[in-house]
């Protein structure tokens, strides 16, 4: 629900109500189990308030911007690229008189939108006569607006700070301690779950583009010369929708590819990147994301940061189209190098050789090596410019024994937008149960037990102290087992109570119709079994913890058959 | 560890490294189990970025301030009350020539510190000749500094916002929806875990006064006319250290009181407040907080907000003294009323009468009733002042049938400073194992299994492929059971490996010394048992989940005796 609703809300800020909040905490608990525990990752927890210097080093202070235009009369702000994109799309969809050349031009503009400079974007807005959408007033030229929430740390006003736009920087600045904590060994991964903030110019797409959101990020540090992964075999056989660069550029669509082949053919840059793609696939489908509406799309060259080696987004299809929910990027050594340089603290790893190795060392200043491609170059010194020709320079090479190699690790970063994943999960888990003619249609959220906000409801069949007491006993045993539950003693018909519990996605409903035996009904199959009252908690727990499936349970316990009555159907 | 250390850090910002982060997530998981699940609370998750209007209504924009003084030359800022307190304390401790009157005066100043106005505080600083501690320069007059981090929402710069100083406001503004979600019934509780921010003037006391921290807050809404609690009997027998107002004022110390008596005698204002005091006691002691270093201290009248009915702090003793870690306050109807007034949305509850009740209704404007205590009052109208005498006013009373009562609920708020609790837990769980003369002392964190950052370590006794494979099999079964663990294959002596694992508080260590049977050692008793390799995970899980104690396990499995060797002792 929109945050601060009684004050008419704030665009881009949303609250999770009780069911959403429970789903979120289940998703995060499973994330910890599936990634942190399974891989022995080092989880850290860093503050959101971040001093200027850190985000200056990472490039966010200078480059984390969107191009903005202002309504020249009212001052209302818009994202320049959104206005241009909306204009082109509307023309393409609705203008029947459009020439094929014009159509091609507009399509091209949409394709290169992210590459346009402020000047180019401004020129296009002028050329197409685009005005403010609400007032039709003229627009300012586009200018960059930094998307970070700015603040000031401490009372002096002299220490500028920002609310972090991602959690990753907290890990990078701690690299040295984390590497030490891991026994100075590579590879290792650090992880962090936390809030991130982006002061969007004009938030839209509801829950998908918001100003504050929960990120779960992994930074897996590897030797750039060895990006193999010991557990890659565990995911190599997986086959799912992938959308490599070539297919996008040649106008094809995503297709099913076996992950092992994508890596061996070089479509995916390396095994570690491939391993995480596979693990992300398993994570999302376990949560309840539809396999057919999940694809891994490779970034096109113009989408990737210049330093990135390769990047794949897990995109999920929902009513807004294909939405980026997880980004899996090989960021090379960029971040560690940037912080090393700015802070003066070396963020590096060492590989100790078992035997010293002989290496050729050039005693030649780095900066000169870089310039050697040139035939001739100029050096400014003491106010004079001296021209140096290639033949004036000699390189001396010597052989030397080295006992270790010191290098900046590469980092592979799977970054999860938790809110987006949850939004898509709600869409994928929703269905309408077919109903008989004339009856109300029933909405169901078929959350897997792992994710369901409430695991179990307890209904006394009729209002009676005896049944209420049994229901309370069962609730007590569920509590002791850590199973979230609701008792519904409203006494309305069981059918209505089932409908209500299906609607929030509760997988199991216990109906108390005797003091010794009760029925457990599963939400999706509507099958019922009979169990002893004191077995309820352990049966439900077995399925929730994934030790048994409902089908296993159906084998073990007697089925409960009721003639379909007006109540249930 | 200090955040952003490679950039020399920022005062008041700290990171949790891997063990701290794991302890934190265990504490929060238990908090959810102990409070949210046990009481069926409605958990919500609201943003940190909060618009001005919300915090204007709550009083934070105007009143959430500390008095600050500036070094007149360097501009360095200090908390005025801290300087005055430090001065008085130092005088009292070190000045042997102090007269008894002067000592009494200084003690009085410390006692009333929180009540002093800026002018009074400034006068005292001048009177005592207090200067800037670092430079001895003159200080400015004290002036209020708002402790919220300010920012701006959206690109226009017209919507000021703050990083929330507490999570509670997110719940209050959602009261209407939450009440509806609860079937329009009272009492109910909402809960929220999240980051909160306070831009402290000069953070000190290490991890105890920080600029960003995790709060876990409960807002329990009740009918102000009925603050009884149906489950109070569950905690009434508890006996622990309480420090009521009277004892503090008469210079006594905290004493053990039975909770039920404290409520029945009126020392604690009502049953619901008492119930939460009892539940907080159980929560903290379960985590591993020492019962003898935990007391519940009642706020003195000058500490409480004017609207509060009663307030108790759970204080934990650590090396910094008695530290407030949980505040449990009856905040009456203050917050809901403030937001109702500012937003124009009625945040109220209804009690439907089973039969209509006859009530006397006075048709007399409220404002006049308020004034009726006065013999005479003045009314300003249309620029003229008219004096109205009591005998000029008559009250008409009529009888009327009412079907319901509409009222603003009271709220009882237990608010947990998670970072402070964790800090005290680290202090309380730390001990040094007695060692033989000449040997290094061994540090141990005796975290209960519930809290321990890593539950289990696995050591192959000697380096061998066979034992390594068994260790890997055990690790796999631990992973499947969701038990965090570390494999230590360094091959150093078992004694050293035990010491290392004790030092981070791992409760169980598994030593692989055969391919079929292994030993499990418990950290505090150092007792060992022998179990089958395939039983390890289930045995450890039983103790961690609290189904068995280590003593139970010792009964079930054969003990493993080793002659104390140099390695282990």
């Amino acid at each position: 629900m929109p945050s601060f609703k009684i004050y008419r809300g704030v665009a881009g800020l949303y609250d999770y109500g009780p069911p959403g909040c429970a789903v979120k905490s289940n998703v995060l608990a499973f994330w910890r189990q599936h990634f942190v525990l399974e891989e022995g990752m080092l989880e850290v927890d860093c503050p959101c308030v971040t001093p200027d210097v850190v985000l200056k080093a990472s490039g966010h202070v200078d480059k984390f911007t969107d191009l903005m235009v202002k309504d020249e009369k009212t001052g209302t702000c818009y994202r320049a690229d959104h206005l241009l994109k909306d204009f082109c799309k509307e023309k393409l969809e609705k203008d029947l008189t459009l020439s094929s050349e014009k159509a091609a031009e507009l399509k091209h503009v949409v394709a290169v939108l992210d590459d346009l400079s402020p000047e180019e974007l401004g020129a296009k807005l002028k050329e197409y006569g685009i005005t403010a959408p609400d007032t039709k007033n003229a627009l300012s030229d586009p200018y960059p607006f930094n998307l970070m929430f700015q603040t000031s740390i401490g009372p002096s006003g002299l220490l500028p700070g920002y609310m972090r736009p991602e959690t990753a920087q907290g890990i990078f600045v701690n690299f040295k301690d984390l590497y030490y904590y891991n026994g100075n060994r590579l590879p290792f991964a650090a992880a962090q779950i936390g809030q991130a903030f982006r002061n969007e110019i004009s938030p839209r797409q509801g829950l998908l583009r918001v100003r504050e959101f929960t990120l779960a990020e992994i930074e897996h540090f590897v030797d750039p010369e060895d990006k193999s992964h010991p557990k890659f075999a565990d995911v190599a056989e997986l086959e799912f929708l992938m959308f490599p660069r070539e297919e996008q550029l040649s106008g094809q669509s995503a297709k099913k590819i076996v992950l092992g082949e994508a890596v061996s053919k070089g479509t995916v840059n390396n095994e570690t990147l491939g391993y995480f793609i596979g693990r992300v696939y398993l994570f999302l489908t376990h949560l309840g994301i539809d396999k057919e509406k999940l694809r891994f799309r490779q970034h096109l060259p113009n989408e990737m940061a210049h330093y990135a080696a390769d990047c794949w987004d897990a995109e999920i299809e929902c009513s807004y189209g294909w939405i980026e929910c997880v980004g899996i990027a090989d960021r090379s050594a960029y971040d560690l190098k940037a912080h090393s340089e700015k802070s003066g603290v070396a963020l590096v790893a060492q590989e100790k050789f078992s035997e010293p190795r002989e290496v050729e060392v050039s005693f030649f200043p780095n900066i000169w090596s870089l310039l050697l491609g040139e035939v001739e170059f100029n050096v400014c010194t003491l106010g004079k410019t001296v021209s140096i020709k290639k033949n004036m320079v000699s390189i001396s090479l010597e052989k030397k024994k080295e006992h270790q190699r010191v290098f900046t690790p590469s980092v592979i970063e799977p970054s999860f937008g938790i809110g987006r994943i949850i939004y898509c999960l709600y869409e994928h888990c929703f269905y309408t149960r077919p109903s008989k003619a004339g009856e109300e249609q029933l909405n169901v959220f078929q959350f897997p037990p792992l994710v369901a906000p409430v695991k179990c409801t307890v209904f006394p069949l009729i209002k009676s102290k005896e049944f209420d007491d049994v229901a309370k006993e069962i609730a007590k045993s569920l509590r002791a087992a850590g199973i979230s539950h609701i008792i519904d003693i409203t006494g309305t018909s069981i059918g209505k109570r089932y409908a209500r519990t299906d609607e929030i996605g509760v997988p199991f409903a216990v109906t108390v119709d005797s003091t010794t035996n009760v029925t457990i009904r599963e939400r999706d199959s509507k099958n019922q079994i009979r169990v002893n009252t004191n077995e309820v908690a352990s049966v439900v727990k077995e399925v929730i913890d994934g030790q048994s499936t409902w089908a296993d349970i159906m084998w073990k316990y007697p089925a409960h058959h009721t003639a379909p009555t007006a109540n249930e159907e």
Side-chain angles (χ1 to χ4, degrees), chain A:
Chain A
M1 47 196 176
S3 303
F4 318 114
K5 215 169 59 175
I6 61 169
Y7 294 105
R8 263 159 269 122
V10 174
L13 295 178
Y14 292 87
D15 294 342
Y16 288 83
C21 189
V23 168
K24 184 178 174 185
S25 99
N26 294 335
V27 167
L28 292 177
F30 179 59
W31 192 87
R32 281 204 170 97
Q33 159 90 23
H34 186 81
F35 292 105
V36 179
L37 183 74
E38 183 70 30
E39 315 287 346
M41 292 177 180
L42 307 180
E43 190 182 343
V44 299
D45 185 13
C46 310
C48 301
V49 174
T50 305
D52 181 75
V53 63
V54 172
L55 295 160
K56 190 93 187 164
S58 68
H60 286 91
V61 171
D62 295 325
K63 289 180 191 157
F64 193 62
T65 56
D66 275 340
L67 290 172
M68 179 160 93
V69 288
K70 267 194 182 176
D71 180 320
E72 288 201 330
K73 286 200 181 129
T74 65
T76 307
C77 306
Y78 303 94
R79 261 183 72 168
D81 58 342
H82 283 177
L83 294 189
L84 184 55
K85 190 178 184 180
D86 292 350
F87 173 86
C88 294
K89 289 212 158 174
E90 193 167 317
K91 271 278 181 203
L92 285 165
E93 278 168 25
K94 296 190 184 156
D95 188 347
L96 301 172
T97 67
L98 212 61
S99 70
S100 63
E101 285 123 44
K102 191 73 187 170
E105 180 194 317
L106 294 177
K107 276 184 194 160
H108 177 73
V109 168
V110 172
V112 300
L113 209 55
D114 292 344
D115 298 334
L116 297 181
S117 70
E119 294 71 28
E120 288 166 335
L121 202 52
K124 278 286 163 206
L125 290 173
K126 282 225 167 64
E127 183 188 333
Y128 296 154
I130 297 172
T131 54
D134 305 321
T135 61
K136 307 296 166 206
N137 291 334
L139 292 169
S140 72
D141 285 333
Y143 60 98
F145 172 74
N146 194 297
L147 297 179
M148 292 192 293
F149 283 99
Q150 193 172 358
T151 191
S152 177
I153 306 172
S156 70
L158 302 175
L159 182 56
Y162 299 91
M163 303 312 298
R164 62 178 175 196
E166 58 179 26
T167 69
Q169 301 306 323
I171 294 175
F172 296 136
V173 298
N174 277 320
F175 173 79
K176 216 180 152 183
D177 285 345
L178 293 169
Y179 180 59
Y180 174 77
Y181 189 87
N182 199 52
N184 292 332
R185 276 172 296 137
L186 279 189
F188 74 90
Q192 182 168 198
I193 297 173
Q195 294 302 90
F197 304 81
R198 295 187 189 180
N199 197 7
E200 297 287 347
I201 293 169
S202 48
R204 38 187 204 173
Q205 295 189 302
L207 293 164
L208 297 178
R209 186 167 293 279
V210 293
R211 286 180 165 148
E212 182 177 336
F213 46 96
T214 301
L215 280 183
E217 296 192 297
I218 294 165
E219 309 298 328
H220 181 90
F221 297 100
V222 289
D223 184 337
E225 293 178 10
D226 177 12
K227 294 183 179 173
S228 65
H229 197 288
K231 286 160 78 182
F232 182 69
D234 294 356
V235 297
E237 314 275 296
L238 290 173
E239 186 176 5
F240 46 77
L241 282 175
M242 296 187 85
F243 200 10
R245 204 172 284 155
E246 319 290 278
E247 274 70 10
Q248 294 170 56
L249 292 172
S250 61
Q252 297 172 59
S253 55
K255 58 184 180 191
K256 295 215 169 169
I257 299 182
V258 175
L259 184 54
E261 285 172 23
V263 171
S264 64
K265 284 183 184 158
T267 313
V268 171
N269 184 278
N270 58 72
E271 267 191 9
T272 299
L273 195 62
Y275 179 71
F276 280 110
I277 290 174
R279 293 291 296 167
V280 168
Y281 172 81
L282 293 174
F283 173 72
L284 294 173
T285 50
H286 260 78
L287 286 182
I289 292 293
D290 184 344
K291 287 178 178 52
E292 303 303 320
K293 293 179 172 176
L294 169 61
R295 72 180 184 196
F296 288 81
R297 189 181 70 79
Q298 190 173 29
H299 275 204
L300 295 175
N302 71 349
E303 290 177 280
M304 279 204 303
H306 62 93
Y307 51 80
D310 193 6
C311 186
W312 292 77
D313 286 343
E315 295 186 331
I316 305 177
E317 194 178 21
C318 70
S319 55
Y320 290 100
W322 287 96
I323 299 299
E324 173 200 346
C325 290
V326 186
I328 309 153
D330 183 333
R331 298 171 61 93
S332 75
Y334 174 79
D335 305 276
L336 292 182
K337 280 188 174 158
H339 286 297
S340 286
E341 200 170 295
K342 185 92 177 172
S343 68
V345 176
L347 304 176
V348 293
Q350 295 91 29
E351 184 199 2
K352 295 222 160 55
F353 302 142
S354 44
E355 286 181 20
R357 289 187 197 169
E358 202 160 73
V359 286
E360 284 194 336
V361 185
S362 105
F363 289 99
F364 195 69
N366 260 336
I367 174 73
W368 288 32
S369 317
L370 279 172
L371 295 167
L372 262 192
E374 308 294 318
V375 177
E376 161 180 338
F377 55 95
N378 297 321
V379 175
C380 276
T381 173
L382 300 170
K384 283 185 194 167
T385 300
V386 184
S387 197
I388 299 185
K389 299 227 167 6
K390 201 168 178 176
N391 59 8
M392 293 166 69
V393 179
S394 76
I395 307 171
S396 76
L397 282 175
E398 273 185 34
K399 298 216 165 173
K400 200 187 148 189
K401 291 226 165 181
E402 290 210 334
H403 297 261
Q404 62 172 10
R405 194 180 124 234
V406 176
F407 59 95
T408 306
S410 277
V411 65
I412 287 165
E413 175 193 86
S415 170
F416 298 71
I418 298 297
R420 289 185 170 192
I421 293 171
I422 291 172
Y423 176 79
C424 293
L425 198 57
Y426 266 84
E427 278 205 14
H428 289 197
C429 287
F430 178 80
Y431 73 94
T432 307
R433 213 192 273 288
S435 64
K436 290 181 195 155
E439 280 179 4
E440 208 187 341
Q441 285 209 322
L442 300 174
N443 297 331
V444 184
F445 278 107
Q446 55 179 338
F447 294 119
L450 178 76
V451 170
V454 173
K455 309 299 183 200
C456 188
T457 37
V458 186
F459 308 140
L461 183 66
I462 49 164
K463 278 207 168 196
S464 88
K465 184 168 178 326
E466 251 187 334
F467 287 0
D468 279 3
D469 287 348
V470 174
K472 277 182 198 157
E473 264 319 297
I474 292 173
K476 201 174 161 187
S477 65
L478 290 169
R479 253 196 321 268
I483 299 167
S484 59
H485 57 277
I486 294 175
I487 306 192
D488 184 342
I489 50 159
T490 50
T492 45
S493 79
I494 286 293
K496 276 203 180 130
R497 284 189 272 179
Y498 281 152
R500 205 143 62 191
T501 176
D502 290 349
E503 201 164 17
I504 61 166
V506 181
F508 304 105
V510 177
T511 302
V512 179
D513 53 3
S514 108
T515 55
T516 52
N517 282 279
V518 297
T519 70
I520 304 182
R521 168 203 184 250
E522 195 271 338
R523 178 194 58 211
D524 301 312
S525 64
K526 298 201 284 180
N527 286 331
Q528 299 184 30
I529 55 162
R530 277 200 89 73
V531 301
N532 272 323
T533 53
N534 55 15
E535 286 173 305
V536 170
S538 61
V539 168
V540 172
K541 194 167 170 58
E542 246 183 275
V543 189
I544 290 170
D545 287 356
Q547 285 154 17
S548 302
T549 64
W550 178 250
D552 300 334
I553 298 290
M554 290 285 292
W555 271 104
K556 271 200 242 169
Y557 294 90
H560 177 71
H561 299 286
T562 40
T565 65
N567 271 353
E568 159 65 306
E569 295 293 318

